[in-house]
Amino acid sequence: MKNNLFLLLLLASVQMSGQVQRFIEPGKTWHVRGQVLYRPSVVTDEYYCFTEESDTLIDNVHYMRLFEAKEEKLETVAIYREEEGIVYRYYPEIQKEYLYYDFTLNPLETINIHFNAVDDVFASEATSTDILTLGDGTQARSIQLVTHSATAGDENSWIGSASWNDVWIEGIGNIVSPRINILGNSWTGMNFTLMSVTRGGEVLYSHTPAGMADVGTVKDADGPAHDIQGRPIPQGSKHGFIIKNGRKIWRVRK
């Protein structure tokens, strides 16, 4: 009896520890690699981040802007808020928010989500969950989903056999890109892969060809840092873009 109670408490602690990762976190950077499907040699690298300056107030509700790093500028590409493991995206063009991620899903639970501001609804069902160890030693839930396309405006009517699989990681987002919550409705002609997620100089998630097996084991080596123009960065510099170990990293003030 005591052994069973201990196992239940241990399982509960593991599940709780997997519920603490925040998706919205200043200083976190996503590196996404895109490949043109009809031209495999064409590859593009994209970098996204939240910063301490990205807080914005809309109708007395606090949201955070997700930035894309383009050259030396940051451009807002999405607006999110997060509440107890659930992420909502705000669409300025319609002045409305929709559910975007739900990292609390359990197997066999289904949610209806939008990819963008249009009325098309997609039903995503969690098929399994797992606990992963990230690069900083903390744990996060991984959720396997199957998503079905639905009739415009009808959350209960699915279109034929159109479906696809997704993987969400708590605090990381879709392993395709933080801007994508539904793999099957990603940008036309491009195949995206989330290469890494870093916080400061620490790698929280790193893509491996084998899939998720090696998540959380990689850390940045203590190599020299340079700015985007290739000039050496003083060791104490902690703001702006730097290039370290071949990767572009956005560092915020502390």
Side-chain angles (χ1 to χ4, degrees):
M1 183 67 179
K2 290 183 178 179
N3 289 338
N4 290 338
L5 181 60
F6 173 77
L7 289 174
L8 288 173
L9 291 174
L10 180 62
L11 179 60
S13 66
V14 169
Q15 290 176 337
M16 289 179 63
S17 65
Q19 294 289 335
V20 299
Q21 298 290 341
R22 290 193 60 80
F23 174 73
I24 298 175
E25 189 176 9
K28 187 182 290 182
T29 301
W30 287 259
H31 171 199
V32 177
R33 178 158 292 168
Q35 186 175 49
V36 179
L37 295 176
Y38 53 88
R39 295 179 63 189
S41 61
V42 179
V43 175
T44 178
D45 286 295
E46 301 173 354
Y47 297 86
Y48 301 94
C49 64
F50 292 105
T51 74
E52 293 177 356
E53 293 81 13
S54 66
D55 181 69
T56 185
L57 191 66
I58 301 175
D59 293 333
N60 293 320
V61 177
H62 283 277
Y63 290 87
M64 295 290 284
R65 288 171 287 159
L66 179 70
F67 294 114
E68 181 179 3
K70 291 188 175 181
E71 297 179 349
E72 296 186 18
K73 297 186 297 183
L74 296 178
E75 296 184 4
T76 300
V77 293
I79 303 173
Y80 297 113
R81 73 176 178 92
E82 185 172 6
E83 184 177 336
E84 297 182 354
I86 300 176
V87 177
Y88 300 89
R89 181 172 175 178
Y90 180 82
Y91 296 92
E93 59 269 37
I94 60 173
Q95 298 182 353
K96 189 175 182 179
E97 71 170 25
Y98 286 131
L99 173 68
Y100 206 73
Y101 289 127
D102 185 349
F103 299 110
T104 70
L105 279 178
N106 293 309
L108 302 183
E109 291 183 344
T110 299
I111 57 172
N112 297 305
I113 56 180
H114 293 71
F115 170 74
N116 50 32
V118 300
D119 289 332
D120 293 331
V121 179
F122 299 84
S124 290
E125 178 185 2
T127 57
S128 64
T129 61
D130 198 3
I131 300 294
L132 302 177
T133 299
L134 301 181
D136 62 352
T138 60
Q139 294 181 321
R141 294 185 84 221
S142 172
I143 305 174
Q144 302 274 346
L145 304 105
V146 58
T147 296
H148 307 266
S149 56
T151 306
D154 186 352
E155 299 179 355
N156 299 310
S157 179
W158 296 354
I159 298 175
S161 59
S163 65
W164 48 87
N165 297 315
D166 285 285
V167 177
W168 294 354
I169 302 177
E170 183 186 28
I172 303 298
N174 197 314
I175 62 170
V176 176
S177 169
R179 289 184 62 185
I180 296 177
N181 60 352
I182 302 172
L183 176 61
N185 201 15
S186 60
W187 298 300
T188 304
M190 295 290 288
N191 179 36
F192 291 93
T193 302
L194 180 59
M195 302 302 293
S196 67
V197 179
T198 61
R199 183 172 53 214
E202 191 167 43
V203 178
L204 301 177
Y205 167 83
S206 180
H207 169 76
T208 59
M212 307 300 296
D214 297 324
V215 167
T217 60
V218 184
K219 293 181 182 290
D220 280 339
D222 190 20
H226 302 81
D227 64 15
I228 297 177
Q229 285 76 37
R231 297 171 297 198
I233 292 288
Q235 191 167 359
S237 177
K238 295 182 178 179
H239 181 68
F241 290 109
I242 67 169
I243 306 295
K244 187 171 184 179
N245 304 320
R247 286 194 294 271
K248 185 190 292 182
I249 299 173
W250 169 259
R251 288 189 173 176
V252 297
R253 295 185 183 94
K254 293 184 178 180

